[in-house]
Structure formats: C-alpha cells, structure tokens
Amino acid sequence: MVMPVSKFDQNLGRRGKARMLELAAEAEAERQAEAAGLLRDLGREPSHAERVIVEQLSMLIVRGRRLRQCGKGADAEMVARLVLRGLTRLGIRQGKPNQTHQSSTAERIAAIGAARKAAEAAS
C-alpha cells in the first residue's frame, strides 16, 4: 500500500534540492578558483588538453576536501594520490623550499675577526 505524500514531505524535498544546488554552486566556485591557480602555476598558455586536465584536477581537489570534511580520510587519500599524479602529468612540480643564505668560510672568519676587533676596541 502506497502512503500519500504529505505537504510537509513535499516541502522537505524542495528544500533539499535547493540546498543541493547551493552546495553545487559553492563547489563550482571553489573549483574555478583552484583551476585558476593551477593555470597560473603552469606559467604559460595551456593547450586544450591541459585545460581539460586542469578542470578534472580542480574537481578532484574540491572532492578530496569534501571527503576529508566528512571524515572519509581513506577516500580523500586516494583522491590526493590522483591529484599528485595529475599534477605530474601536467608538468607542475612542487616549489623549491626557501633556502637561507649560508655564508662561506671566509665570510664567517671575517665576521669573527670583526667581532674580536670590536670587542678589543670596546675594552
């Protein structure tokens, strides 16, 4: 026997659909921001194939975040692996870490000598 659908159930369905559309719009805005960042990192005008890869990678990045937020870490980890593989295909590499300037031995000896001279002059 089929139960009649109440007015309350109909409104619940409309609100759910509206919320689903809101979430889709938010995800699309986030995806476009990620795609713009990836294209910027590419550093040149992308080919059509590269644009398709960027579109798919940006979608995966957003999807991975959503999975992590839902507590599905294992699925998010698999998505992260796919993203890293796609970035490699695209030719985007990780940036080099900031390296501090290391002084040469001669510079260190000169600095020590200058400090000694300053200490002798002060006494």
Side-chain angles (χ1 to χ4, degrees):
M1 180 171 150
V2 177
M3 298 293 290
V5 177
S6 70
K7 186 82 168 165
F8 177 76
D9 291 337
Q10 290 174 350
N11 288 336
L12 181 64
R14 282 191 217 120
R15 284 185 302 192
K17 185 174 182 176
R19 180 63 181 145
M20 185 179 68
L21 292 173
E22 286 174 16
L23 291 174
E26 289 173 11
E28 178 61 17
E30 191 175 349
R31 187 202 66 75
Q32 288 178 359
E34 287 296 330
L38 288 171
L39 290 172
R40 213 174 19 256
D41 285 349
L42 195 55
R44 58 180 165 73
E45 187 63 30
S47 68
H48 178 71
E50 289 170 332
R51 286 184 188 276
V52 170
I53 292 171
V54 165
E55 179 182 355
Q56 296 303 311
L57 282 176
S58 60
M59 182 270 310
L60 280 172
I61 291 168
V62 173
R63 179 73 177 140
R65 284 185 189 140
R66 296 293 180 265
L67 287 170
R68 207 172 301 110
Q69 289 169 351
C70 293
K72 298 183 179 183
D75 293 337
E77 179 67 29
M78 183 57 70
V79 169
R81 289 179 185 172
L82 291 171
V83 168
L84 290 175
R85 189 179 306 160
L87 289 174
T88 304
R89 292 261 173 148
L90 196 56
I92 297 176
R93 304 271 187 241
Q94 286 184 337
K96 294 181 182 176
N98 291 337
Q99 295 180 356
T100 59
H101 173 70
Q102 294 189 5
S103 58
S104 68
T105 304
E107 290 172 335
R108 284 181 278 182
I109 291 172
I112 291 171
R116 283 185 184 162
K117 284 183 184 178
E120 288 175 6
S123 34

